[in-house]
Amino acid sequence: MAMLATVWIVLLAVNIQAGDGQSVQMDSIKSGFVGSQVELRCIFVNSNPPVKISQVTWQKFLNGTKQNVAIANPSLGVSVLPPFKERVTFKQAAVRHRTPSLEDTTIMFSNLRLSDEAAYICEYTTFPAGNRENMVNLTVFARPLTRMTLTTPTIVARPQKRKMTVATCLSANGKPQSVIKWDTRLKGEATFQETQNANGTVTVRSNYVVVPSRETHKQKLTCIVTYRNERITDSVVLNVQYEPEVKIEGFDGNWYLNRQDVSLTCNTDANPPVTVYQWKLLNGSLPSTVEIRNNSLIFKGAVTYELAGTYVCDATNGIGTRTGLVEVNITEFPNNPPPGGREIPQEQHNAGAVIGGAVGGVVLLAAAATLLFVFLRRRQRTFKGDYSTKKQVFGNGYSKAGGLPAHPPIPNNLQYPDDSDDEKKPAQIAVTGGFEASERDFDRDAEDLKRPYFTVDEGESQDYDERTLAFQYNPGPDVADDMVSQTDGSVISKKEWYV
Ligand SMILES: *[C@@H]1O[C@H](CO)[C@@H](O)[C@H](O)[C@H]1NC(C)=O
Ligand SMILES: *[C@@H]1O[C@H](CO)[C@@H](O)[C@H](O)[C@H]1NC(C)=O
Ligand SMILES: *[C@@H]1O[C@H](CO)[C@@H](O)[C@H](O)[C@H]1NC(C)=O
Ligand SMILES: *[C@@H]1O[C@H](CO)[C@@H](O)[C@H](O)[C@H]1NC(C)=O
Ligand SMILES: *[C@@H]1O[C@H](CO)[C@@H](O)[C@H](O)[C@H]1NC(C)=O
Ligand SMILES: *[C@@H]1O[C@H](CO)[C@@H](O)[C@H](O)[C@H]1NC(C)=O
């Protein structure tokens, strides 16, 4: 964008030069902060044939009206007009010389004010070419005053949880206006408000609202103000005062007769800290054996039934008083295994069982592994032997698989789907998906590579398969039992025979 603008200006300048020979060169925009100084450049390009400069006039152009700022005249000298007299000077001393050079009439504008924001025209009156002028737009920025304040140094958390502003972030009289954001883990909300000032500045204010509580104490709250490309951050840590949070500790539900050295402690979380603890026993007075030590009740000597009751601790700080209570009951005998009694042996016993179990497991595992290994070795050999058989079987069709000698390898590896029990065919899933396909499509080397995996699978499923097979197959002897030989050499079922 800036590039484009520059190119356009250059083109414009060239055009003017080409047409008329002379031009006024200025920056198109300039900016400065209130109180600072800016340089407004104005250079007259006097090309051949040179023209005579009769006067140079700087003007402020605002709201459609022009106001003279400074004039340089070759014969009359230099004049800076009243509202600018103290703050505007020509940069080049040569402008003020008796025989001045007016080619560079750049001005220095110091101690900028917001009201200086305007367009400034630098106009050359020449002879015989006439007037040439250009313009610079001056923007004046005002740095805002940014600060964050806590509403009060200490916030009091009231029981009737009411929202309140805990901190305010302010960015005052900025131009351009700032943006306020908050960064915190507090659960609260921010309100935003902006005020436009007559001088063009904007004041932005944000309040952070929370319900003060114990949880908000010591929470950090950061205000992030973004002004132009600057980030200004400020943090506060909340100091929230709250009533004591009371908890009585020391009663473990196991105060039995003659137990020694029991005590109750009134533990509190409070800001400011608790100054007064008061112990009471509901519907009675504290036992005579009790000693109050700061926030503790020390029961001297052995536990008696007399100690039973509801103990109350009133804790007071600057904010209020809160009460904690505990109901103490006394039993004749310990109701739990006392610590250090049976518990430790039990643990040891458990540990023993674990160790024993682990050792047993390892031994069992080792035995199983040995068996498996022996078995695998045998199977491997068996399998290799059967491998070609299987190939033949494959070629002849599966209907013959059932008629193979005992211990057929295929059924061992392949499962029977429920619906093919009658035919005793190997499952199609296993056959087509895996083994059969590879047998058809790959050479022997590929098969050999696959075999070890196959063998392991076989070994793993051995037990199950053997049992299943034994049951399903009803080999030799059963035929003799259930079937009856016929004179023609065939056999028929006994059932059929007797029907
Ligand atoms: C500029 O003009 C507007 C109305 O056209 C007027 O409200 C405003 O006050 C003028 N500003 C100055 C600085 O004269
Ligand atoms: C400069 O200001 C004038 C009038 O205020 C405006 O018309 C012009 O577009 C501005 N030029 C630039 C480059 O901002
Ligand atoms: C702008 O106006 C505000 C409000 O009147 C004032 O507080 C502030 O100082 C002014 N800023 C400048 C730079 O004059
Ligand atoms: C005694 O107090 C414990 C803990 O408060 C409670 O679990 C138990 O039921 C009480 N026993 C009797 C007899 O009140
Ligand atoms: C304790 O005393 C109050 C009245 O002071 C009574 O209402 C309450 O039932 C009493 N509780 C016991 C356990 O005696
Ligand atoms: C308890 O009180 C004694 C004085 O009675 C004081 O010296 C001691 O520091 C206190 N201890 C605690 C933990 O507040």
Side-chain angles (χ1 to χ4, degrees), residues 309-396:
T310 302
Y311 288 83
V312 177
C313 169
D314 287 335
T316 306
N317 71 352
I319 307 304
T321 300
R322 289 273 291 270
T323 296
L325 51 83
V326 64
E327 208 182 308
V328 168
N329 55 32
I330 308 296
T331 53
E332 190 175 355
F333 302 107
N335 53 20
N336 292 327
R342 251 166 36 211
E343 255 168 43
I344 289 165
Q346 203 167 357
E347 258 173 37
Q348 279 171 347
H349 172 80
N350 284 349
V354 168
I355 292 165
V359 169
V362 167
V363 169
L364 243 139
L365 211 69
T370 314
L371 268 166
L372 192 69
F373 178 71
V374 169
F375 200 76
L376 280 180
R377 286 292 298 264
R378 228 187 55 197
R379 291 302 290 175
Q380 217 159 351
R381 257 180 271 122
T382 315
F383 177 73
K384 272 184 181 171
D386 286 352
Y387 192 79
S388 54
T389 314
K390 188 169 172 278
K391 274 194 105 170
Q392 279 169 9
V393 167
F394 181 83
N396 294 340

XYZ file of all heavy atoms in Angstrom, residues 309-396:
656
model
N -19.387 -36.568 73.582
C -20.198 -35.364 73.421
C -19.845 -34.638 72.145
O -18.994 -35.085 71.369
N -20.529 -33.544 71.916
C -20.263 -32.753 70.721
C -19.395 -31.561 71.093
O -19.817 -30.704 71.867
C -21.586 -32.286 70.088
O -22.364 -33.442 69.784
C -21.332 -31.503 68.815
N -18.184 -31.552 70.564
C -17.248 -30.472 70.861
C -17.374 -29.393 69.803
O -17.439 -29.671 68.608
C -15.817 -31.012 70.902
C -15.561 -31.859 72.133
C -15.938 -33.196 72.145
C -14.978 -31.317 73.275
C -15.722 -33.980 73.274
C -14.758 -32.084 74.398
C -15.140 -33.419 74.396
O -14.936 -34.181 75.510
N -17.390 -28.168 70.281
C -17.581 -27.024 69.387
C -16.390 -26.092 69.514
O -15.931 -25.820 70.621
C -18.884 -26.265 69.764
C -19.059 -25.037 68.889
C -20.078 -27.188 69.659
N -15.905 -25.654 68.364
C -14.818 -24.663 68.365
C -15.318 -23.414 67.665
O -15.723 -23.471 66.500
C -13.599 -25.226 67.643
S -12.327 -23.990 67.320
N -15.317 -22.307 68.386
C -15.663 -21.017 67.783
C -14.360 -20.293 67.480
O -13.571 -20.039 68.392
C -16.483 -20.164 68.761
C -17.901 -20.683 68.925
O -18.395 -21.345 67.993
O -18.504 -20.430 69.995
N -14.148 -19.995 66.208
C -12.927 -19.285 65.824
C -13.308 -17.891 65.357
O -14.210 -17.724 64.542
C -12.204 -20.041 64.727
N -12.606 -16.910 65.861
C -12.946 -15.518 65.552
C -11.735 -14.793 64.977
O -10.628 -14.912 65.513
C -13.403 -14.797 66.838
O -14.461 -15.555 67.424
C -13.877 -13.384 66.548
N -11.984 -14.079 63.875
C -10.961 -13.137 63.391
C -11.637 -11.786 63.183
O -12.802 -11.613 63.588
C -10.280 -13.661 62.118
C -11.176 -13.632 60.899
O -12.369 -13.364 60.985
N -10.593 -13.914 59.750
N -10.935 -10.858 62.588
C -11.470 -9.512 62.428
C -12.750 -9.453 61.608
O -13.482 -8.462 61.670
N -13.024 -10.480 60.841
C -14.180 -10.449 59.952
C -15.398 -11.087 60.596
O -16.515 -10.644 60.398
C -13.846 -11.151 58.614
C -12.573 -10.552 58.012
C -14.996 -11.090 57.642
C -12.610 -9.043 57.806
N -15.178 -12.127 61.369
C -16.330 -12.770 61.975
C -15.948 -14.017 62.751
O -14.768 -14.321 62.949
N -16.961 -14.726 63.172
C -16.772 -15.949 63.946
C -17.458 -17.089 63.227
O -18.596 -16.944 62.762
C -17.387 -15.787 65.348
O -16.745 -14.697 65.997
C -17.206 -17.053 66.179
N -16.747 -18.188 63.109
C -17.371 -19.381 62.518
C -17.135 -20.545 63.470
O -16.200 -20.547 64.275
C -16.766 -19.694 61.143
C -17.160 -18.705 60.057
C -18.469 -19.078 59.365
N -18.304 -20.289 58.556
C -17.931 -20.287 57.279
N -17.682 -19.146 56.660
N -17.828 -21.406 56.617
N -17.999 -21.533 63.351
C -18.005 -22.641 64.295
C -17.741 -23.952 63.584
O -18.236 -24.174 62.474
C -19.392 -22.689 64.981
O -19.544 -21.493 65.739
C -19.504 -23.881 65.904
N -16.966 -24.773 64.281
C -16.780 -26.126 63.792
C -17.191 -27.065 64.904
O -17.093 -26.699 66.080
N -17.687 -28.235 64.547
C -18.009 -29.167 65.632
C -17.705 -30.601 65.239
O -17.661 -30.952 64.062
C -19.462 -29.010 66.111
C -20.624 -29.013 65.134
C -21.029 -30.432 64.792
C -21.802 -28.277 65.771
N -17.477 -31.397 66.288
C -17.197 -32.806 66.075
C -17.913 -33.594 67.169
O -17.962 -33.172 68.324
C -15.675 -33.082 66.071
C -15.034 -32.783 67.414
C -15.396 -34.534 65.677
N -18.523 -34.700 66.751
C -19.245 -35.527 67.710
C -18.315 -36.664 68.120
O -17.942 -37.491 67.293
C -20.506 -36.080 67.036
C -21.638 -36.349 68.004
C -22.833 -36.946 67.287
O -23.258 -36.358 66.278
O -23.298 -38.009 67.725
N -17.966 -36.639 69.382
C -17.033 -37.662 69.880
C -17.831 -38.738 70.607
O -18.640 -38.428 71.478
C -15.997 -37.023 70.831
C -15.218 -38.100 71.577
C -15.052 -36.125 70.054
N -17.647 -39.996 70.246
C -18.239 -41.100 71.002
C -17.132 -42.043 71.470
O -16.062 -42.112 70.861
C -19.339 -41.804 70.192
C -18.837 -42.273 68.840
O -17.676 -42.630 68.700
N -19.719 -42.283 67.850
N -17.378 -42.669 72.527
C -16.352 -43.505 73.166
C -16.810 -44.968 73.109
O -17.965 -45.269 73.428
C -16.146 -43.096 74.644
C -15.900 -41.580 74.762
C -15.020 -43.901 75.289
C -14.644 -41.075 74.107
N -15.936 -45.828 72.694
C -16.271 -47.257 72.656
C -15.479 -47.987 73.732
O -14.448 -47.484 74.208
C -15.934 -47.860 71.281
O -14.589 -47.552 70.963
C -16.840 -47.309 70.199
N -15.977 -49.152 74.106
C -15.311 -49.907 75.165
C -13.982 -50.479 74.661
O -12.967 -50.452 75.324
C -16.230 -51.038 75.640
C -15.716 -51.708 76.905
C -16.700 -52.740 77.438
O -17.802 -52.842 76.851
O -16.366 -53.426 78.420
N -14.066 -50.996 73.430
C -12.870 -51.615 72.847
C -12.523 -50.923 71.526
O -13.389 -50.330 70.901
C -13.122 -53.103 72.580
C -13.500 -53.862 73.813
C -14.817 -54.291 73.990
C -12.559 -54.121 74.804
C -15.175 -54.984 75.127
C -12.921 -54.813 75.946
C -14.230 -55.248 76.120
N -11.295 -51.060 71.131
C -10.928 -50.512 69.805
C -11.823 -51.147 68.746
O -12.053 -52.359 68.782
C -9.476 -50.952 69.618
C -8.988 -51.289 70.977
C -10.169 -51.698 71.795
N -12.351 -50.364 67.853
C -13.217 -50.955 66.840
C -12.472 -51.250 65.537
O -12.986 -51.906 64.644
C -14.449 -50.082 66.589
C -14.071 -48.642 66.281
O -12.933 -48.370 65.901
N -14.997 -47.733 66.465
N -11.282 -50.748 65.435
C -10.439 -51.078 64.270
C -9.195 -51.727 64.805
O -8.839 -51.516 65.958
C -10.026 -49.815 63.514
C -11.215 -49.168 62.845
O -12.138 -49.847 62.406
N -11.198 -47.853 62.790
N -8.515 -52.520 64.014
C -7.206 -52.978 64.465
C -6.362 -51.747 64.742
O -6.264 -50.869 63.878
C -6.663 -53.775 63.288
C -7.668 -53.677 62.196
C -8.871 -52.969 62.685
N -5.813 -51.650 65.951
C -5.018 -50.459 66.252
C -3.789 -50.406 65.363
O -3.255 -51.448 64.994
C -4.639 -50.648 67.720
C -4.805 -52.103 67.974
C -5.827 -52.625 67.019
N -3.365 -49.235 65.010
C -2.189 -49.113 64.134
C -0.984 -49.764 64.793
O -0.779 -49.609 65.995
C -1.983 -47.604 64.012
C -3.125 -46.955 64.715
C -3.881 -47.988 65.488
N -0.229 -50.561 64.052
C 0.956 -51.217 64.594
C 0.612 -52.575 65.189
O 1.490 -53.305 65.589
N -0.659 -52.929 65.260
C -1.067 -54.202 65.831
C -1.043 -55.302 64.794
O 0.020 -55.793 64.433
N -2.230 -55.633 64.279
C -2.306 -56.750 63.359
C -2.009 -56.362 61.912
O -1.794 -57.202 61.079
C -3.706 -57.364 63.432
C -3.673 -58.718 64.108
C -5.059 -59.180 64.484
N -6.069 -58.813 63.523
C -7.339 -58.550 63.859
N -7.714 -58.613 65.109
N -8.216 -58.243 62.946
N -2.042 -55.071 61.695
C -1.940 -54.624 60.302
C -0.646 -55.037 59.628
O -0.650 -55.505 58.515
C -2.092 -53.109 60.208
C -3.456 -52.727 59.663
C -3.742 -51.262 59.818
O -2.834 -50.459 59.554
O -4.872 -50.923 60.205
N 0.448 -54.864 60.374
C 1.745 -55.106 59.748
C 1.926 -56.589 59.393
O 2.252 -56.905 58.249
C 2.902 -54.554 60.608
C 2.850 -53.022 60.549
C 4.255 -55.057 60.126
C 3.669 -52.319 61.587
N 1.614 -57.499 60.370
C 1.736 -58.919 60.016
C 0.870 -59.255 58.796
O 1.300 -60.015 57.930
C 1.222 -59.647 61.255
C 1.414 -58.676 62.364
C 1.264 -57.320 61.774
N -0.291 -58.639 58.751
C -1.180 -58.918 57.624
C -0.500 -58.532 56.312
O -0.536 -59.265 55.340
C -2.463 -58.115 57.795
C -3.630 -58.720 57.050
C -4.936 -58.100 57.485
O -4.961 -57.256 58.384
N -6.006 -58.506 56.883
N 0.138 -57.392 56.364
C 0.833 -56.933 55.165
C 1.916 -57.921 54.767
O 2.075 -58.258 53.615
C 1.483 -55.576 55.434
C 0.676 -54.426 54.827
C 1.222 -53.076 55.234
O 2.461 -52.952 55.336
O 0.425 -52.161 55.466
N 2.648 -58.386 55.842
C 3.710 -59.334 55.563
C 3.136 -60.601 54.950
O 3.670 -61.136 53.994
C 4.449 -59.682 56.859
C 5.471 -58.615 57.243
C 6.040 -58.838 58.604
O 5.513 -59.653 59.376
N 7.099 -58.122 58.929
N 1.998 -61.014 55.538
C 1.354 -62.208 55.019
C 0.989 -62.021 53.550
O 1.272 -62.858 52.708
C 0.093 -62.511 55.842
C -0.737 -63.623 55.270
N -0.412 -64.951 55.462
C -1.838 -63.594 54.493
C -1.300 -65.693 54.831
N -2.173 -64.898 54.241
N 0.423 -60.879 53.308
C 0.040 -60.584 51.922
C 1.246 -60.625 51.003
O 1.201 -61.197 49.923
C -0.612 -59.207 51.834
C -2.040 -59.241 52.367
O -2.571 -60.332 52.588
N -2.617 -58.079 52.595
N 2.324 -60.017 51.515
C 3.541 -59.984 50.708
C 4.010 -61.411 50.445
O 4.380 -61.770 49.330
C 4.633 -59.208 51.441
N 3.944 -62.245 51.520
C 4.351 -63.643 51.383
C 3.527 -64.335 50.310
O 4.063 -65.011 49.446
N 2.220 -64.103 50.381
C 1.338 -64.734 49.405
C 1.708 -64.298 48.001
O 1.762 -65.105 47.076
C -0.106 -64.361 49.706
N 1.988 -63.022 47.898
C 2.330 -62.497 46.573
C 3.594 -63.166 46.065
O 3.665 -63.638 44.932
C 2.490 -60.963 46.625
C 3.131 -60.456 45.343
C 1.133 -60.303 46.859
N 4.604 -63.223 46.960
C 5.875 -63.822 46.554
C 5.661 -65.288 46.187
O 6.092 -65.766 45.140
C 6.930 -63.684 47.680
C 7.299 -62.196 47.831
C 8.165 -64.537 47.386
C 8.036 -61.858 49.107
N 4.924 -65.985 47.086
C 4.643 -67.395 46.833
C 3.956 -67.576 45.496
O 4.356 -68.400 44.672
N 2.964 -66.754 45.276
C 2.216 -66.819 44.013
C 3.133 -66.591 42.838
O 3.095 -67.332 41.859
N 3.991 -65.607 42.995
C 4.883 -65.268 41.902
C 5.820 -66.432 41.603
O 5.981 -66.835 40.447
C 5.694 -64.018 42.274
N 6.407 -67.029 42.690
C 7.335 -68.141 42.507
C 6.607 -69.305 41.839
O 7.079 -69.859 40.844
C 7.945 -68.562 43.866
C 8.698 -69.881 43.741
C 8.869 -67.459 44.382
N 5.426 -69.616 42.401
C 4.634 -70.707 41.830
C 4.347 -70.461 40.363
O 4.506 -71.346 39.527
N 3.972 -69.250 40.082
C 3.652 -68.879 38.704
C 4.824 -69.078 37.788
O 4.703 -69.655 36.706
N 5.987 -68.650 38.263
C 7.195 -68.757 37.438
C 7.483 -70.225 37.154
O 7.754 -70.619 36.020
C 8.382 -68.060 38.141
C 9.692 -68.432 37.470
C 8.184 -66.547 38.125
N 7.406 -71.051 38.226
C 7.685 -72.480 38.067
C 6.713 -73.085 37.059
O 7.124 -73.775 36.112
C 7.577 -73.201 39.431
C 7.583 -74.727 39.242
C 8.717 -72.755 40.348
N 5.440 -72.767 37.241
C 4.412 -73.301 36.355
C 4.687 -72.899 34.918
O 4.607 -73.693 33.987
C 3.052 -72.753 36.774
C 2.082 -73.852 37.224
C 1.304 -73.407 38.428
C 1.159 -74.194 36.061
N 5.024 -71.596 34.782
C 5.270 -71.034 33.457
C 6.431 -71.756 32.801
O 6.392 -72.122 31.633
C 5.600 -69.545 33.604
C 5.165 -68.683 32.432
C 3.638 -68.599 32.402
C 5.773 -67.293 32.543
N 7.498 -71.972 33.605
C 8.684 -72.645 33.091
C 8.321 -74.056 32.612
O 8.700 -74.468 31.513
C 9.751 -72.723 34.193
N 7.528 -74.754 33.448
C 7.128 -76.111 33.081
C 6.325 -76.088 31.793
O 6.591 -76.864 30.863
C 6.288 -76.710 34.221
N 5.404 -75.156 31.736
C 4.547 -75.050 30.553
C 5.395 -74.761 29.332
O 5.211 -75.355 28.264
C 3.526 -73.940 30.770
N 6.365 -73.855 29.508
C 7.218 -73.474 28.393
C 8.005 -74.673 27.894
O 8.122 -74.903 26.686
C 8.171 -72.353 28.842
N 8.537 -75.456 28.847
C 9.321 -76.636 28.481
C 8.455 -77.601 27.676
O 8.848 -78.056 26.593
C 9.842 -77.344 29.746
O 10.387 -76.338 30.613
C 10.887 -78.382 29.425
N 7.268 -77.842 28.212
C 6.346 -78.752 27.534
C 6.050 -78.262 26.129
O 6.113 -79.019 25.157
C 5.035 -78.827 28.317
C 4.980 -79.962 29.355
C 3.818 -79.763 30.295
C 4.867 -81.320 28.633
N 5.779 -76.994 26.065
C 5.427 -76.366 24.791
C 6.561 -76.525 23.797
O 6.374 -76.894 22.643
C 5.141 -74.879 25.020
C 4.488 -74.166 23.855
C 3.057 -74.661 23.685
C 4.519 -72.665 24.075
N 7.781 -76.271 24.311
C 8.959 -76.339 23.464
C 9.113 -77.742 22.880
O 9.235 -77.924 21.671
C 10.185 -75.941 24.295
C 11.464 -76.024 23.516
C 11.742 -75.102 22.519
C 12.384 -77.040 23.765
C 12.901 -75.192 21.783
C 13.538 -77.115 23.042
C 13.806 -76.211 22.046
N 9.037 -78.731 23.788
C 9.177 -80.120 23.350
C 8.119 -80.429 22.307
O 8.398 -80.974 21.237
C 9.037 -81.067 24.569
C 8.914 -82.515 24.123
C 10.227 -80.887 25.510
N 6.937 -79.999 22.633
C 5.803 -80.282 21.760
C 5.999 -79.650 20.401
O 5.808 -80.257 19.362
C 4.537 -79.736 22.424
C 3.307 -80.390 21.868
C 2.962 -81.682 22.251
C 2.529 -79.724 20.953
C 1.855 -82.284 21.727
C 1.421 -80.336 20.439
C 1.076 -81.616 20.823
N 6.453 -78.374 20.443
C 6.654 -77.639 19.201
C 7.675 -78.335 18.319
O 7.495 -78.451 17.119
C 7.128 -76.219 19.497
C 6.016 -75.248 19.890
C 6.592 -73.866 20.163
C 4.991 -75.166 18.761
N 8.766 -78.770 18.978
C 9.806 -79.433 18.222
C 9.215 -80.630 17.485
O 9.441 -80.829 16.292
C 10.941 -79.915 19.164
C 11.805 -78.767 19.653
C 12.625 -78.150 18.541
N 13.553 -79.134 17.982
C 14.825 -79.216 18.382
N 15.310 -78.389 19.274
N 15.616 -80.122 17.846
N 8.398 -81.358 18.219
C 7.802 -82.554 17.629
C 6.859 -82.163 16.490
O 6.905 -82.700 15.413
C 7.028 -83.328 18.711
C 7.359 -84.803 18.705
C 6.458 -85.546 19.643
N 5.058 -85.297 19.346
C 4.064 -85.547 20.190
N 4.337 -86.013 21.387
N 2.825 -85.332 19.864
N 6.036 -81.164 16.804
C 5.041 -80.724 15.818
C 5.719 -80.237 14.560
O 5.272 -80.500 13.461
C 4.179 -79.587 16.384
C 3.257 -80.016 17.493
C 2.324 -81.099 17.093
N 1.323 -80.642 16.146
C 0.453 -81.455 15.570
N 0.509 -82.753 15.809
N -0.450 -81.001 14.743
N 6.783 -79.489 14.766
C 7.478 -78.931 13.629
C 7.863 -80.045 12.667
O 7.671 -79.945 11.476
C 8.722 -78.188 14.117
C 8.976 -76.936 13.320
C 9.847 -75.977 14.088
O 10.120 -76.189 15.277
N 10.283 -74.934 13.440
N 8.409 -81.069 13.270
C 8.809 -82.197 12.428
C 7.578 -82.811 11.766
O 7.519 -83.008 10.577
C 9.573 -83.232 13.268
C 11.072 -83.157 13.038
C 11.790 -84.180 13.879
N 12.125 -83.651 15.176
C 11.729 -84.169 16.306
N 10.976 -85.256 16.320
N 12.076 -83.649 17.446
N 6.571 -83.024 12.568
C 5.335 -83.612 12.059
C 4.771 -82.763 10.934
O 4.407 -83.246 9.889
C 4.273 -83.674 13.171
O 4.890 -84.163 14.328
C 3.115 -84.539 12.763
N 4.808 -81.485 11.198
C 4.206 -80.598 10.226
C 4.936 -80.672 8.892
O 4.342 -80.756 7.850
C 4.231 -79.168 10.754
C 3.688 -78.231 9.740
C 2.322 -78.213 9.491
C 4.527 -77.421 8.999
C 1.814 -77.382 8.531
C 4.007 -76.594 8.039
C 2.651 -76.567 7.803
N 6.263 -80.648 8.979
C 7.033 -80.704 7.740
C 6.660 -81.941 6.942
O 6.503 -81.902 5.735
C 8.537 -80.731 8.044
C 9.091 -79.316 8.167
C 10.587 -79.335 8.371
C 11.136 -77.935 8.506
N 12.536 -77.952 8.916
N 6.489 -83.024 7.673
C 6.122 -84.269 7.013
C 4.769 -84.152 6.332
O 4.604 -84.589 5.211
N 3.868 -83.516 7.025
C 2.502 -83.465 6.528
C 2.288 -82.421 5.456
O 1.246 -82.356 4.846
C 1.547 -83.155 7.695
C 1.405 -84.383 8.571
O 1.919 -85.414 8.155
O 0.809 -84.263 9.656
N 3.284 -81.608 5.317
C 3.093 -80.456 4.461
C 2.696 -80.869 3.045
O 1.723 -80.396 2.493
C 4.375 -79.629 4.443
C 4.161 -78.301 3.814
C 3.561 -77.272 4.552
C 4.523 -78.071 2.499
C 3.342 -76.062 3.976
C 4.299 -76.852 1.933
C 3.713 -75.842 2.668
O 3.488 -74.639 2.097
N 3.467 -81.789 2.486
C 3.185 -82.216 1.114
C 1.834 -82.927 1.054
O 1.080 -82.770 0.109
C 4.305 -83.136 0.608
O 4.465 -84.187 1.538
N 1.540 -83.669 2.075
C 0.261 -84.367 2.149
C -0.873 -83.373 1.975
O -1.802 -83.583 1.237
C 0.097 -85.054 3.516
O 1.294 -85.727 3.816
C -1.079 -85.990 3.513
N -0.676 -82.288 2.700
C -1.708 -81.276 2.667
C -1.889 -80.752 1.242
O -2.991 -80.506 0.780
C -1.333 -80.127 3.589
C -2.450 -79.148 3.727
C -2.153 -78.179 4.832
C -3.189 -77.098 4.836
N -2.901 -76.070 3.856
N -0.744 -80.600 0.582
C -0.820 -80.111 -0.790
C -1.622 -81.065 -1.672
O -2.453 -80.652 -2.463
C 0.592 -79.933 -1.371
C 1.179 -78.587 -1.041
C 2.383 -78.290 -1.885
C 2.031 -77.276 -2.948
N 3.238 -76.803 -3.637
N -1.371 -82.304 -1.439
C -2.114 -83.287 -2.222
C -3.590 -83.193 -1.920
O -4.421 -83.191 -2.797
C -1.626 -84.700 -1.874
C -0.342 -85.062 -2.597
C 0.254 -86.325 -2.059
O -0.383 -87.026 -1.262
N 1.452 -86.648 -2.504
N -3.847 -83.111 -0.653
C -5.240 -83.024 -0.220
C -5.909 -81.852 -0.891
O -6.999 -81.949 -1.408
C -5.310 -82.861 1.313
C -6.711 -82.458 1.730
C -4.899 -84.150 1.974
N -5.149 -80.804 -0.931
C -5.678 -79.605 -1.538
C -6.063 -79.869 -2.991
O -7.138 -79.517 -3.429
C -4.636 -78.486 -1.451
C -5.143 -77.218 -2.030
C -5.938 -76.385 -1.253
C -4.863 -76.881 -3.340
C -6.437 -75.230 -1.790
C -5.372 -75.721 -3.866
C -6.148 -74.888 -3.097
N -5.149 -80.533 -3.694
C -5.397 -80.827 -5.107
C -6.609 -81.751 -5.284
O -7.379 -81.588 -6.216
N -6.798 -82.680 -4.374
C -7.880 -83.658 -4.508
C -9.222 -83.133 -4.039
O -10.237 -83.776 -4.242
C -7.550 -84.918 -3.688
C -6.336 -85.612 -4.288
O -6.003 -85.382 -5.450
N -5.673 -86.431 -3.495
